[in-house]
Amino acid sequence: MSKRSSAETALLLGALVFYLYIAWSVPYSTTDDLQWGMDQGLRWWLQGSLNSRYVGNFFAVAMCHSPLVKTLIMGLTMFAIPLLMARLAARGEERSLLPIYLASSAGLLLMPPVMWQETYAWVSGFGNYVVPTLLFLVWLLLVRRIVDRGGHRLLWAVLFLALEVVMGLFVENLTLLFLGAALLTALCSLGNKSARLPLWAGFLGSALAAAIIFGGGSFSQLLLEGSALNGLRDLTFDWSGGLPAALTGILEQYFVRLLPISFLRGPHIALPSAVILALGFWNSRLRPLALLGLLPLGYHGLLLQTEEYDTPVRVAVSALIWALVLLAPLVQRTEPSVKLGRFLLCLAAPLSLLPLAATTTLGQRLYFFPMAMLILTAADMAAPLLARWPVQLLTSGALAALMICWGWMHWTVLGCTTLREELTSQAVEQGNDTLILPTDRYERVVWHTRNPWNVEYADYYRQFYHIPDQVTLVILPAGSYECWPDVDPEQWERRLEFFPSKDYTPSLP
């Protein structure tokens, strides 16, 4: 092995170890994770009680039942997503693989804390929102492979059928996007005999998945009653107003909320958008328009200052940025097939948000897939630039800084988890009637809900961690772990105390 390949291998192994460490340190959340990790969650999955996300919920059940499975699935997925991006963007150029991997990894780790909490640090959210992104990248690589080389059509057909059934059973908006992507590739394969059967089989798999996920009881209830899952999901319109009112509600949710919010919490959408705009127009006949790359960064900075995203001017600027991002790949001086591919990747980002406009559901986890598509497009367009050593040095430094930042915080979170496990074991062994648990400082930074907040979730907490029902839980506030075992009066005053009780109504079936 050459020195270069040895260094690349060492860097990739280092990244793998980092992501496995992050996955190991992720605490289970009281939001869904505890329930998925018990018999209740197994029933939810088998019966489809909550929704028809059978594959996404399978990952939630598997990871919440076993910390080892959680570590392997989450760690390998975190590592593989930028690696698959690099494979796609490198287009067979092995020398470009590592530079693109470094840049893609840095782009993903640039996500804001509010997205981190809902994806990389939330086991259930990871299973439903991050894993399908990985599978879509695998699908893109396989489509490229079957179109370029062909062969073994029947085996490929079975693989595409199975893969696209699996891909479609995560979250509803991605189900529709994957169905559209499968139909588009199937239609394009009509002139390619070797790819025709596999890609049409894939479309059949996507259609079957869509039938399953939208045939579920909660979706039917949502359409008929306008609300489902005890108000967790509501339509953005009222059927009594007819089709015009429905379209108005959907478009308002899409353009006034979903698109502008994508630029709100961090540079994870703005930065790849800026790269796409700058490089797209720079490599075109409209080179002066490359300065438009500053627009998404400036817009993001403005939203950070005021967090007002729904004014008419800002809504219009958001729509303009998304339109320019779609235009930039098309004006580049490159092969038509490359232009089209980059355009479709860009289009997948805002298009994946469109089905969500029918409901009031919001959250930064919804932008993980759009972020990944924009990072992939930016990396594809910037591949020659990323191969230059000054740029490699810059991206390597940024990635190292982000790894140190997230790694340091997760070290504290892991330490708190370990201490809690020790205190819990001690209390159970000694038969204590009270268990006092400290909390690390990274609430709403790394994690959102590692603590129970009411009697019901305190009961789930006891069941999940095998704490006797008669034990009173005392949860100290964020920051108490760092000074444990000392507890100052202010921290004790802000404690949450949950006495044993079964007097509650479960919030979910």
Side-chain angles (χ1 to χ4, degrees):
M1 190 178 291
S2 68
K3 291 183 179 179
R4 180 180 177 83
S5 61
S6 297
E8 290 177 351
T9 302
L11 287 172
L12 291 174
L13 285 176
L16 175 59
V17 170
F18 168 78
Y19 287 120
L20 288 172
Y21 154 70
I22 291 293
W24 177 255
S25 64
V26 169
Y28 287 114
S29 171
T30 50
T31 304
D32 295 346
D33 288 355
L34 304 188
Q35 296 95 311
W36 286 122
M38 299 185 293
D39 290 340
Q40 179 180 0
L42 192 59
R43 289 195 302 271
W44 284 354
W45 173 56
L46 293 174
Q47 299 170 3
S49 303
L50 297 183
N51 47 54
S52 299
R53 302 172 181 177
Y54 288 102
V55 177
N57 292 341
F58 165 78
F59 278 98
V61 169
M63 291 189 292
C64 291
H65 271 81
S66 169
L68 178 59
V69 172
K70 176 202 74 168
T71 300
L72 291 175
I73 291 177
M74 294 182 70
L76 292 174
T77 300
M78 291 178 194
F79 171 75
I81 286 178
L83 185 61
L84 293 176
M85 288 179 175
R87 282 288 176 192
L88 285 161
R91 299 179 182 274
E93 292 289 336
E94 291 297 322
R95 294 176 63 86
S96 299
L97 185 67
L98 184 63
I100 297 174
Y101 180 83
L102 296 174
S104 300
S105 293
L108 290 167
L109 293 181
L110 200 61
M111 73 175 83
V114 67
M115 179 184 282
W116 188 275
Q117 298 164 41
E118 297 182 3
T119 53
Y120 279 15
W122 181 25
V123 180
S124 303
F126 190 95
N128 274 291
Y129 294 93
V130 180
V131 175
T133 304
L134 171 73
L135 294 179
F136 184 69
L137 296 174
V138 171
W139 179 80
L140 288 174
L141 279 170
L142 292 179
V143 169
R144 179 184 290 179
R145 166 62 176 78
I146 194 65
V147 169
D148 290 345
R149 302 182 191 177
H152 304 290
R153 287 181 295 170
L154 186 57
L155 290 176
W156 280 110
V158 173
L159 176 60
F160 271 91
L161 175 65
L163 176 60
E164 295 194 41
V165 168
V166 169
M167 286 170 55
L169 295 177
F170 284 90
V171 286
E172 295 81 358
N173 63 310
L174 295 184
T175 300
L176 291 177
L177 180 75
F178 296 161
L179 177 63
L183 177 59
L184 179 62
T185 54
L187 291 173
C188 291
S189 72
L190 291 176
N192 187 330
K193 185 178 180 180
S194 61
R196 190 184 310 152
L197 178 62
L199 294 182
W200 278 102
F203 170 67
L204 176 61
S206 287
L208 288 173
I212 293 170
I213 204 162
F214 290 108
S218 62
F219 184 76
S220 301
Q221 181 186 12
L222 179 65
L223 287 180
L224 292 174
E225 302 177 12
S227 181
L229 298 177
N230 296 332
L232 289 179
R233 291 189 191 177
D234 295 303
L235 292 177
T236 52
F237 55 88
D238 186 350
W239 284 116
S240 62
L243 184 59
L247 290 175
T248 299
I250 290 172
L251 292 176
E252 180 180 356
Q253 181 75 356
Y254 186 64
F255 286 102
V256 177
R257 295 178 182 86
L258 287 170
L259 292 186
I261 286 176
S262 63
F263 295 98
L264 180 58
R265 300 298 181 185
H268 54 300
I269 297 291
L271 184 58
S273 298
V275 172
I276 292 169
L277 288 177
L279 293 181
F281 286 111
W282 181 262
N283 296 320
S284 74
R285 297 177 180 177
L286 305 171
R287 180 166 287 190
L289 293 182
L291 289 174
L292 288 172
L294 298 174
L295 182 59
L297 296 175
Y299 181 64
H300 162 63
L302 178 64
L303 292 184
L304 281 182
Q305 292 180 3
T306 64
E307 293 197 359
E308 293 182 6
Y309 57 85
D310 54 356
T311 63
V313 173
R314 295 181 185 182
V315 169
V317 172
S318 167
L320 175 63
I321 293 172
W322 280 106
L324 290 171
V325 167
L326 295 177
L327 176 63
L330 294 176
V331 299
Q332 272 195 311
R333 292 176 177 174
T334 187
E335 298 175 10
S337 60
V338 174
K339 285 184 181 183
L340 179 61
R342 290 171 178 170
F343 167 76
L344 291 175
L345 281 177
C346 285
L347 181 62
L351 205 57
S352 67
L353 300 173
L354 183 57
L356 297 167
T359 72
T360 56
T361 303
L362 295 174
Q364 282 294 313
R365 63 190 178 279
L366 306 175
Y367 297 98
F368 185 88
F369 181 86
M371 174 186 69
M373 294 303 102
L374 292 178
I375 290 174
L376 174 55
T377 307
D380 189 25
M381 297 171 70
L385 188 61
L386 293 173
R388 299 178 180 178
W389 73 264
V391 180
Q392 287 188 46
L393 192 62
L394 179 63
T395 54
S396 299
L399 178 59
L402 289 166
M403 283 182 165
I404 291 171
C405 178
W406 288 116
W408 178 262
M409 290 188 288
H410 271 264
W411 182 256
T412 301
V413 172
L414 180 60
C416 182
T417 301
T418 303
L419 176 61
R420 284 185 166 201
E421 290 172 352
E422 294 173 357
L423 294 173
T424 300
S425 298
Q426 234 174 42
V428 172
E429 289 173 4
Q430 297 174 3
N432 298 344
D433 57 4
T434 300
L435 173 59
I436 301 175
L437 297 175
T439 303
D440 65 83
R441 69 178 68 147
Y442 292 116
E443 182 180 19
R444 297 186 182 275
V445 178
V446 169
W447 50 269
H448 178 44
T449 54
R450 75 177 299 171
N451 294 328
W453 60 86
N454 60 25
V455 173
E456 177 187 354
Y457 286 88
D459 185 54
Y460 294 147
Y461 194 93
R462 291 190 190 91
Q463 293 180 54
F464 186 84
Y465 291 106
H466 308 291
I467 301 170
D469 292 343
Q470 67 271 19
V471 172
T472 297
L473 288 178
V474 178
I475 310 294
L476 298 178
S480 52
Y481 163 72
E482 283 75 12
C483 59
W484 181 266
D486 298 324
V487 181
D488 63 47
E490 181 186 355
Q491 290 174 338
W492 185 254
E493 185 68 25
R494 292 164 52 212
R495 75 190 184 280
L496 296 176
E497 196 163 0
F498 302 107
F499 298 96
S501 174
K502 294 287 185 178
D503 185 21
Y504 62 83
T505 302
S507 58
L508 291 172

